[in-house]
Every structure is written in C-alpha cells, then in structure tokens.
Amino acid sequence: MPSFTLACPGLARLPLLLASLLIAIPVAASGTAAPATVAALRCEYQTNPLGLDARRPRLSWQLRATARDVMQTAYQIQVAGSKADLEQGRNLLWDTGEVTSDQSVHVPYAGPPLQSGQRYWWRVRVWTGDDIPSTWSEPAFWEMGLLEPSDWQAQWIEPDVEEDVSTSAPAPMLRRTFWVEGEVVRARAYVTSHGLYELHLNGRRVGDQVFTPGWTSYHHQLQVQTYDVTDLLQDGPNAVGAILGDGWYRGQIGFRGQRNFYGNRLALLAQLVITYADGRTEVIGTDSHWRATNDGPIRMSDIYNGEVYDARREFPGWSTTGFDDSGWAGVRIADHGTDHLVAPAGPSVRRVEEIRPIALLTSPAGETIIDMGQNMVGWVRLRVSGPAGTTITLRHAEVLDQEGNLYTENLRAARQTVQYTLRGDGEEIYEPHFTFQGFRYVAVEGFPGTPTLDAFTGIVIHSDMAQTGHFRTSNPLVNQLQHNIRWGQKGNFLDVPTDCPQRDERLGWTGDAQVFCRTAAFNYDVAGFFTKWLADLAFDQYDSGSIPHVIPNVLATDGQGAAGAAGWADAGVLIPWDLYLVYGDRLLLERQYPGMTAWVGYMQRRAGDDLIWDGDPHFGDWLAFNTTRSDYPGATTSKDFIATAFYAYSAALTARAADVLGKPEDAAHYRRLSERIKQAFRQEFVTPNGRVGENTQTAYALALAFDLLPEALRQQAADRLAEDVRRFGHLTTGFLGTPHLNHVLTRFGYTDLAYALLLRETYPSWLYPVTQGATTIWERWDGLRPDGSFQDPGMNSFNHYAYGAVGDWMYRVMAGLDTDPERPGYKHVLIAPRPGGGFTEVEARLETLYGTTGSAWTWHDDTFSLTVTVPPNTTATVRLPGAAPDQVQVDGRPLVGADGVHDAGADGTDTVVQIGSGMYRFSYPMVSDE
Ligand code: BGC
C-alpha cells in the first residue's frame, strides 16, 4: 500500500496511510495572546431591535480573539430593565450564571415574561478554557413592541374622501395635532397601514424605511414598524401626518391587471406612546380627530406604473402645527382588527445607494436618454428649476433596442413612467413615493432647458440586508458575473424575493427563490428576509398541502389555484433546509416543518400508489436551452421526471429535518418514502446502463444531485452528463437544473468541465450576457440574441436572478467555502477549494453568525497558497488539493506542530487538515494549471 511521509519536527518521520487516515498532532496551546472579547450582540438576527414580538428572543454574539484555536467553553448572559442596572449587575431580570456550553448563536431568552413596549438591556461574557471569564460585552438591548391586541388604543382610520378605485387614485394625506406637556423621555410610534404609508411628525419624515409596512399575506399577518420619535416631538403643540399609497394592497398586481386584491380602501393605524420624565404615559392614536384629503400632489402612484406628481398641489407645512386643515375631510373609523399584527422579521426596504448616470444620449428617435450605467431598481431623484406647470416625464427601460431607442416592450403592461410638474419657485428636488422602476435607461421629456447629468441621481432601493459575502477572482468576466448576480439580488430582494423588478409581475415566485436561496445567503444576510417570507408561505399554503406559485399568493382567487408545481412549491422544503444549513436556525425549521410534511403529503396523494408523479401541470425546467437545430435539438426534460425527482428529494430532506428536530419516527417514515420513490423513479426513468430520463443535462443534474440513482450507476450517469457537456460544449439547463449542474460535475470528477461551462462566452452560457454588456442576470440565456434581436417581449426580463444560482458553486467550489451539515451555521467550516479554469486567484469571504470566515487562494509560479479564516468558537476542516502533507507549509513553517493545527493527513492526492479558529496561510508546490 502506498504511503506518504509527513515531516514532523520533534517527532519521528511518520508513515501515513493513503486515504482517510489522519494523524493526531498535539494541540498547540492557545498561547498568551490577549483574551477573547465579546462583540456583535444580536437578538433575532438584529442589532438593538425595536418593536420585537418574539416572546423568547434568541441571542447571539461573536467572540473576538487574536489567538488561534479559541473555543467558548462557557457563557453568562445578564438581562436588566435599564442600562445602569445592567452595568451595576443589580436588579437583574435574568442571569444565566456560568453555563458550560459552546453555544454562542440562537440562545433563547428564558427569563420572566417580556412586557409590551419594554426595553431589555443585556450583556454577555464568555470563558474560553480557563477559569477567567472575558470582560463583559458592551451592553446591547432589544425592545418589545405591542404584544397584545389589547395594547392598541388607536383605531383604524380611513380617509373619508370620494375615490375612483377602478384606477390609481390620488394618494390620500392624513393629519392631526396634539399637545405635549412636560419633559418627554421616550416616545415611540407603532404604525401600519392598508396600502403603503409614509409617516411625518412636525414637518419631518419619520424613519428611513420605504414601502412600509412591507408586503405580507396581509389578511394573515400585517407588519407594524416601531419608530423612536423621542427627538421629533416638541413641547407644546405637535402635528402628525401620513401619506398613503396603493402599494401591493390595492394597486395593480400580477399580470392580469387586477387591482384591489386585498381590499379597496386604504387605512392607517398608528399609535404614539409618549413617556414623560414624571412617569406619565400618553397615547395619541389614529382616531376620529384626524383629517384627510386626496387633493395633494401625488395624483397617482402605483408600483408597476409609476407616479404622477403635481408639485403645485403640495400643502406646505401639512404635517406641522400651523397648517390649516379646515378644508380637509374627516376620517372613518374602521374595524380591521389588531390580532394579525406582527413585528417585521426581516429588514425594511431602504434607499441603499445612489448612482450617478454615466451618459446622456440622444436616440435615433430623438429622445433624450440618461444611461445609469447599471440596470438598477429604485427610481430617479430629479433636481430641476423651471417655470411652474412644466411637466417632466421620465420613462424607464432596461435596454435600448438595436437602433439605440428606448425598448419598453418587455415591460408588458407596466408603464414605469414618472411625471413631475414643477412648482416653479427655484430648485426643486423630487423623488417618487410608492413606486419603483427596474431600469438602466431613462427617457426624459419636457425638461426645462437642457438637461445635464447632475439633474438625475439613481436611488437604489432594496431590503436592507447586510452584505455578508465577497467573491473575487483573477478573471474580470467572472467578476462581472458575480457583480451581476449581486445586482440581481439587490433588485429582486424587495421585501419579498421577486422574479423581476420591471414588468407587470414582480411577484414572489417560489421556484426562483428556491434555486437562488443558497447563493443569496452567500452575498447577503437573508435570514430575516426569508424568515418573514416563509411565514407567508406557511399562511398561504392550502389545506391540501399544496403551495402557491407565488408568495404572497396573489395569483389565485379561487382558494386552490396557481399552486403545486414541482420545483416551485418545493421551496417550502428546500428553503427552510438551506437556512438551517447556513444559519443553524432550528426554530425556523421547526416552524416550517408542518408545511414541509403537508407538501410531501400533497405530492404523495397526487403521485398515488405507483409513486410516479405524472400528469399534473408544472413549469418544468423553465427556460432551458431550446432550439430547432437538428444536431442538438434543445434540452427538454419531461415534467413527470422532474416532478418525481423533486418528490423524492423533498421527502428525503423532510426526513433530515425530522432527524434534526428529534422526530425519529417521522424521519424513518420520510426516509422510507423517499427510498421507495427513488426505486420507482429508477424503474420509470433510468436504463440499466445509466441513461437517465431524456438524457438532458438537467435530467442528470437532478438525478445525481438528489441521489436518485444507485451507487453503482452514479459514475456512469455522470460520465454521460460529461459526455453531453463535452459534445455540445455549453450548458443547456433551465431554472431547475442550473443550480446543480456544476456541483454534480465537480462531485463526479469533472471540475474541469464545470470550469469550462463557467467560462464559456458564447450562448448558451453564464458569460454570454456578460460579453453583451449585461450588468444583471438575465431571465433567459439569450434575452438579447447573438444577432442583436430580443427574445420574446412577453417574457424577457434583464433582471431575473435564477441563473445566478451558479454563485453558490463559485463560493462553495471555486473558493471552497462551505458549512458542515452536521454542525450547521458554519459552526464547523469546510474549506476545500478546487482550483482550475486557468484562475490564478480566487477569494471569498463570508460574515457568518460566528464572525468572518474566508478562503482565498493564489496559484502563481507553481505555488499554491491558501489563506483561510476561521472565526473564534468554530473549527474547520481544510482540504488542500494536490498537496502532499510533508510539502505543506503553514505561515512559512511546517504543518505539524503549527499553532491551531490539530490533525493533518493525506486523503487521496489531497492533504486534509483540522484546525481551530484563526487565520492560516497554507502553501505548497503545485504545478500550474496552464
Ligand atoms: C416568472 C418566473 C416564474 C415563472 C413561472 C415567470 O413569469 O418571471 O420567473 O418562475 O413565470 O413559470
């Protein structure tokens, strides 16, 4: 048997057996570096949240340490009702004492019941192996919202105005005045609405969120925002106002032109709770004292269609005390209830960045066109002076046509047009309110004088998720692809994961979200974002267990329709599982588990006794490569094949979820079911020689990724896939096959082909759009055809993230950064870069709940160097490709005995190293790729 020798100073040269034999190396002591500290305190994924409604909020923190190999051995949490008490360690509401545990993520609060509106201060200290605790963390807090329906004294109000709700109606404005007497120590505004709202207090906008209260399955849950308005109040008279927009509630929604989906009246519910220094509390709520008008400047504002704003109709000072509202109408009290109100689980939408346009063009048709240089989502902020009554029209589009004119056909019925009419009193700055546009180009009409670029600023909006991932390589085209993936996510993570941000759709398509979820979770913190959306998924799931195509479900009105598509509805299983892997969120898995089993139950009934789910309508491998070429006539994978494959896979994942949740009987049941489905699948779709389904790339990708084939046939099947890739030279997968294609190639020894697909620049490929100047991911492989013409305008978005799902392979395989399903949430990090494709550098970083992890490699002059970062309180397994253990150096010194290195050994042609936290630079000779 062949053996390796590991150079090991101080030890005899040890023979190493090939394969998985690892040798234990004495663990270097953590050294004398500075002790660990505690930072980044989070409560339910948020920093110092206001308005929480979790009764047992989960607390997380991070350790900071300069030493290597730092593990938490114990923690202590203290909670108090005030910062002073906490700092003095007195009047504690909860003190865990020293708890022996390495848990630093999702520790549930277990003190006395939490009270509405109360703020709780907390701090943590940790032990890392010896008797001496760290210093206490800086205090952090969370503050509860209004927990009980009865906490609401405010009443729902609706503007008592005449409206034509068959079309976009003017945005109503509401206001009232109230009195503040005494020193205010604290004031909160709890606000929600039917439709969208903007809140104003004493002439100032409250908060920086837009599109509040967000989009949920409104009848089941409606989010309430909590604002700290202490500094906006003034002694004496005060005024509060709100503007309401149609939004998702009653604006145009879906591609059938429907309106008033959730109701046809806008309404506001707001409660201001003022606490005075003398202990008094006062509540100012929405009630009959409010006044309303719909004569204001926003003549219409609609998500798809844009806004019409007449600045001459503004009411200066409308949310200040001096304003005379005697001409305004009153309000009606409405009974919309408060028992479905919830705290937002995810981040609000905000203005996240600004873009300066790069060019001002005149099109052949004579239009003046602004080029933002980036396909973006949000709107244009206008800066203009001119005569009163001048109307400027902005029409937004993603692309220019072959002649260079604005191309709006692919927007379908969405008008994406903003009209602003000037007041005429000097410089005017305007941004639209309850609408967003997906665009790179803006045609400007009616601009007074000659427009210049500085009159236009692109305001980029999206759910304000923290950027957690960073990915960069030595290949500029792949970097642009990563840029496009990121921008696809920005543009489509707008309170719900949408398919596209420009045409009359912008819906929470489950399939799209499912294929992109893992990639999304690399680029941004999507824990809260998906937690919120999955709650809607659970609410909108039908009693039959079927899951709608879009969440919130606005496509079906009949109580059963537009649901149950393979690969789409499976989002109800796959996304909670993904989030469990990435964030270790067991509670979320537990919450979604009933829905997971219900969906599998639905499939079971549809498939029947033969376990082949056939005959039902599905989307299939949506938008797979399609052609009339005779030598390679497209790649259609049958829907029955796909449905049965997902059926088996969802059943298998449900079994794994049951394992995690401690439900062994369920686990056994779903495992058995999935095995039986796999057997039926093989009989129906697999030949004894490993030919799978229609022999398409997607057929192989799904069958292999979902482990549907017997061991003995897997490599054979993978070889056939490889053969197809080699023969055609391109990918041919649609939405469902794409996330798995490169992973499967890598798993079965064809990483070289995966790289070849990644780097292919001609259609169909990931880089073809990049070579065409794309700045986002396209819906179709050939949105813009090689001959310069556009694909079918009926479905041709240039900002659709689904094909960006290759990002997951880029992080997990190229950089090799992954989590261990057995110790999820990156408690144990798996680092296994697979160099190739002529890349000389690949670098990935990820902010995990434990801190930053990273994998960055360079491959120059026949030397491979890998720098890995492992956060404190985690460990990692590092696989060094093509490395003999005795040739590996860490930080310029031999591997064995290095600080933080626990084990090292050969596994096949690689070296596998077990390490504790810290940063390490491994290097060894490796003959260059070229
Ligand atoms: C959407 C998709 C969606 C699909 C379902 C399209 O209109 O844009 O991305 O998944 O319909 O087939």
Side-chain angles (χ1 to χ4, degrees), residues 236-384:
N238 286 261
V240 56
I243 312 175
L244 299 179
D246 291 350
W248 299 284
Y249 191 86
R250 76 166 189 189
Q252 188 177 330
I253 189 96
F255 39 79
R256 297 189 193 103
Q258 71 187 350
R259 314 183 55 81
N260 304 308
F261 183 78
Y262 294 98
N264 59 18
R265 291 265 162 235
L266 302 179
L268 178 70
L269 179 71
Q271 180 158 313
L272 210 63
V273 181
I274 305 170
T275 312
Y276 292 96
D278 59 12
R280 271 180 307 135
T281 304
E282 204 171 350
V283 174
I284 311 292
T286 36
D287 60 13
S288 56
H289 292 105
W290 288 60
R291 313 281 296 160
T293 182
N294 59 354
D295 283 336
I298 304 175
R299 304 316 296 156
M300 84 90 166
S301 195
D302 179 90
I303 288 181
Y304 297 162
N305 295 316
E307 179 161 308
V308 174
Y309 189 96
D310 187 344
R312 295 169 303 180
R313 303 180 73 127
E314 283 172 350
F315 293 110
W318 70 278
S319 67
T320 62
T321 52
F323 182 76
D324 175 10
D325 59 19
S326 55
W328 286 25
V331 296
R332 287 185 296 258
I333 302 295
D335 182 16
H336 298 311
T338 52
D339 48 8
H340 60 316
L341 303 182
V342 296
S348 294
V349 180
R350 289 194 169 84
R351 298 171 174 83
V352 183
E353 47 192 290
E354 299 194 353
I355 292 195
R356 303 234 147 258
I358 58 165
L360 206 147
L361 320 164
T362 304
S363 72
E367 304 149 307
T368 300
I369 294 180
I370 308 295
D371 178 0
M372 304 306 301
Q374 170 65 48
N375 196 12
M376 57 163 281
V377 175
W379 52 74
V380 168
R381 182 171 62 217
L382 204 56
R383 200 153 62 86
V384 59

Side-chain angles (χ1 to χ4, degrees), residues 499 503 505 509 512 568 619 622 735 779 795 800:
D499 57 332
R503 67 184 180 218
E505 203 150 352
W509 283 95
D512 307 42
W568 267 249
F619 300 114
W622 194 244
F735 276 27
E779 177 175 26
M795 228 184 50
H800 236 73

